[in-house]
């Protein structure tokens, strides 16, 4: 009896729904998407019109991996660097050939003059110094030039804080003026020179920046060169004020002709120390006996990211090498070490990526 009431109720609900749909002028009934089978008998003998829902897991479509397009410009640059590096490996890194075109090595401490144009006449106020980096007790001397140059004022200041340290005034003579600041060990590393000059009644400014520091070591002298296997050895004597890893550079000349750029690295402790500069036989002219060393750079290398490198000074400007026994050198081709060969292969690999 209970089932009868339930069935009657269901029929009533269905009839009401049909009446309601017809009333709203819905002409077409969409069949249900699927009938879910609940009884085992239905599974054994499914009706032809019965749709059985089967949940098929969707396969995730894998996204294609992005194709990395190798930059052809990078490949070309790597090829160029690889060729240069391979050429350089014909010589040891401590003794590289030098030419008059290697200005950065021939003038390692060069100050490039700074100028300020004056109107459209082509005239300019120019400030020049003998060098960029000064080491105590060196004085700082500026040369200022311009047509119709008159009175000149120069302010020496801390580049980082802009605090003034000293100032001087000078008058021009024949369109040129010179101002000198006495060397002082307390100067900050980064210095700024602010110049204001009167040129034909106009005030023209120019700003130049330099470095100043106490010496980390001083080059005293060299012993005369001697042959050892395939190298010419010249021993440098230094007075070290601050211990650390040092890099000493010098240029080797025959008269005025540059021959080689020499580099030596060594950990030095405070006090009197020695360091050997080596020139490979391959950079020396055949039969050469007299040469000279010049353009010295004494550098204490940075021991950590938080500490800057520092530089030393020298008591000599050049050293003469005389009566060198060139014929005593073993003339063996330089063999690159494993690290140098790996670096070359890496560069060649980058170059080949673009092919």
């Amino acid at each position: 009896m209970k089932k009868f009431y339930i069935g009657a109720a269901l029929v009533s609900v269905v009839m009401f729904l049909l009446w309601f749909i017809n009333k709203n002028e819905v002409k077409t009934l969409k069949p249900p998407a699927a009938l879910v089978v609940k009884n085992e008998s239905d599974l054994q003998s499914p009706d032809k019109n019965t749709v059985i829902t089967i949940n098929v897991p969707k396969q995730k479509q894998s996204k294609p991996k992005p194709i990395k397009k190798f930059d052809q410009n990078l490949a070309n640059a790597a090829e160029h660097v690889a060729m240069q590096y391979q050429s350089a490996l014909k010589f040891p890194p401590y003794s590289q050939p030098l030419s008059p075109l290697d200005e950065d090595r021939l003038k390692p401490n060069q100050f490039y003059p700074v100028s300020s144009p004056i109107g459209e006449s082509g005239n300019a106020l120019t400030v020049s110094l003998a060098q960029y980096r000064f080491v105590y007790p060196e004085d700082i001397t500026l040369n200022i030039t311009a047509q119709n140059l008159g009175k000149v004022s120069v302010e020496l200041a801390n580049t980082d804080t802009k605090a003034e340290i000293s100032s001087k005034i000078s008058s021009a003579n024949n369109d040129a003026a010179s101002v000198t600041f006495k060397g002082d060990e307390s100067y900050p590393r980064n210095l700024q020179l602010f110049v204001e000059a009167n040129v034909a009644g106009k005030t023209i400014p120019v700003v130049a920046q330099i470095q100043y520091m106490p010496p980390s070591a001083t080059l005293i002298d060299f012993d005369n060169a001697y042959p050892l296997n395939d190298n010419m050895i010249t021993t440098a004597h230094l007075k070290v004020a601050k211990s650390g890893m040092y890099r000493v550079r010098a240029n080797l000349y025959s008269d005025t002709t540059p021959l080689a750029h020499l580099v030596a690295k060594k950990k030095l402790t405070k006090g009197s120390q020695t360091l050997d500069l080596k020139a490979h036989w391959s950079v020396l002219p055949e039969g050469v006996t007299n040469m000279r060393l010049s353009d010295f750079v004494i550098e204490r290398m940075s021991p950590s990211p938080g500490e800057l490198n520092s530089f030393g000074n020298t008591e000599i400007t050049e050293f003469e090498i005389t009566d060198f026994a060139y014929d005593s050198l073993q003339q063996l081709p330089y063999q690159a070490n494993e690290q140098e060969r790996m670096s070359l292969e890496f560069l060649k690999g980058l170059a080949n990526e673009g092919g």
Side-chain angles (χ1 to χ4, degrees):
M1 192 70 176
K2 190 174 183 180
K3 291 181 180 180
F4 171 77
Y5 288 123
I6 294 173
L10 289 173
V11 171
S12 300
V13 170
V14 171
M15 294 299 292
F16 175 77
L17 288 173
L18 289 173
W19 172 81
F20 181 80
I21 292 171
N22 289 331
K23 185 178 179 181
N24 287 278
E25 297 181 353
V26 177
K27 303 297 182 181
T28 305
L29 287 176
K30 294 183 179 180
L35 296 177
V36 180
V37 180
K38 296 181 180 179
N39 300 325
E40 291 183 3
S41 59
D42 294 334
L43 289 173
Q44 294 173 0
S45 302
D47 187 85
K48 290 182 180 180
N49 296 321
T50 302
V51 179
I52 301 175
T53 301
I54 301 175
N55 294 324
V56 180
K58 295 182 179 179
Q59 293 183 353
K60 293 183 179 180
Q61 295 183 353
S62 58
K63 295 182 179 179
K65 294 182 179 179
I67 300 174
K68 294 183 179 179
K69 186 178 180 181
F70 193 82
D71 191 342
Q72 187 61 42
N73 291 332
L74 178 60
N76 293 339
E79 183 179 10
H80 180 69
V81 174
M83 291 174 62
Q84 287 188 324
Y85 189 61
Q86 187 170 18
S87 178
L89 286 182
K90 295 177 182 177
F91 307 92
Y94 58 81
S95 174
Q96 289 286 304
L98 192 63
S99 80
L101 300 178
D102 297 321
E103 188 172 334
D104 58 330
R105 291 180 171 181
L106 293 171
K107 300 177 181 179
N109 194 19
Q110 183 177 9
F111 177 87
Y112 293 92
V114 291
S115 298
S116 182
I118 304 169
E120 299 179 357
S121 63
N123 190 15
L125 177 68
T126 301
V127 174
S128 58
L129 293 93
Q131 60 206 56
Y132 166 72
R133 183 177 55 253
F134 292 81
V135 177
Y136 179 78
E138 292 176 323
D139 295 337
I140 303 169
T141 299
L142 300 81
N143 294 309
I144 305 107
T145 58
Q147 292 180 7
N148 302 314
L149 180 64
K151 187 178 178 181
V152 175
S153 66
V154 182
E155 176 187 284
L156 179 67
N158 185 324
T159 303
D160 301 321
T161 65
K162 308 303 180 186
E164 181 181 334
I165 298 171
S166 181
S167 63
K168 290 184 178 293
I169 296 176
S170 178
S171 296
N173 183 16
N174 295 326
D175 295 336
S178 179
V179 174
T180 298
F181 292 93
K182 190 71 176 175
D184 192 328
E185 199 170 7
S186 66
Y187 283 158
R189 180 185 180 100
N190 299 317
L191 291 174
Q192 178 174 282
L193 297 159
F194 181 69
V195 179
E196 279 191 336
N198 185 295
V199 181
K202 295 181 180 179
T203 300
I204 308 298
V206 175
V207 177
Q209 293 184 342
I210 58 172
Q211 288 188 341
Y212 201 97
M213 61 195 71
S216 56
T218 301
L219 174 63
I220 306 299
D221 205 353
F222 286 91
D223 292 336
N224 200 29
Y226 62 93
L228 180 63
N229 299 326
D230 52 355
N231 291 302
M232 177 182 75
I233 308 295
T234 312
T235 301
H237 293 266
L238 301 100
K239 184 179 180 181
V240 179
K242 195 172 183 180
S243 301
M245 178 63 71
Y246 277 81
R247 175 167 54 192
V248 176
R249 290 176 282 171
N251 292 328
L252 181 66
Y253 295 84
S254 175
D255 292 330
T256 59
T257 302
L259 299 178
H261 181 69
L262 310 182
V263 181
K265 293 181 183 179
K266 186 179 180 182
K267 191 171 184 179
L268 302 177
T269 56
K270 188 175 180 179
S272 297
Q273 299 291 332
T274 60
L275 176 146
D276 289 341
L277 286 173
K278 299 186 293 183
H280 194 251
W281 72 269
S282 57
V283 299
L284 303 178
E286 186 175 357
V288 67
T289 57
N290 298 326
M291 292 164 280
R292 64 183 177 91
L293 290 170
S294 187
D295 311 323
F296 306 114
V297 178
I298 316 300
E299 178 188 6
R300 179 181 180 269
M301 302 174 70
S302 172
S304 63
E307 185 176 347
L308 296 173
N309 62 344
S310 57
F311 292 84
N313 54 10
T314 176
E315 293 184 355
I316 58 174
T317 57
E318 64 179 30
F319 176 77
E320 296 287 341
I321 298 171
T322 57
D323 300 325
F324 176 69
Y326 175 86
D327 294 336
S328 299
L329 291 172
Q330 297 178 10
Q331 299 186 15
L332 303 174
Y334 173 70
Q335 299 294 327
N337 60 37
E338 183 179 358
Q339 183 178 358
E340 291 166 342
R341 291 194 298 269
M342 289 177 62
S343 298
L344 180 60
E345 290 303 317
F346 173 74
L347 290 171
K348 286 183 176 180
L350 284 180
N352 292 334
E353 287 287 339

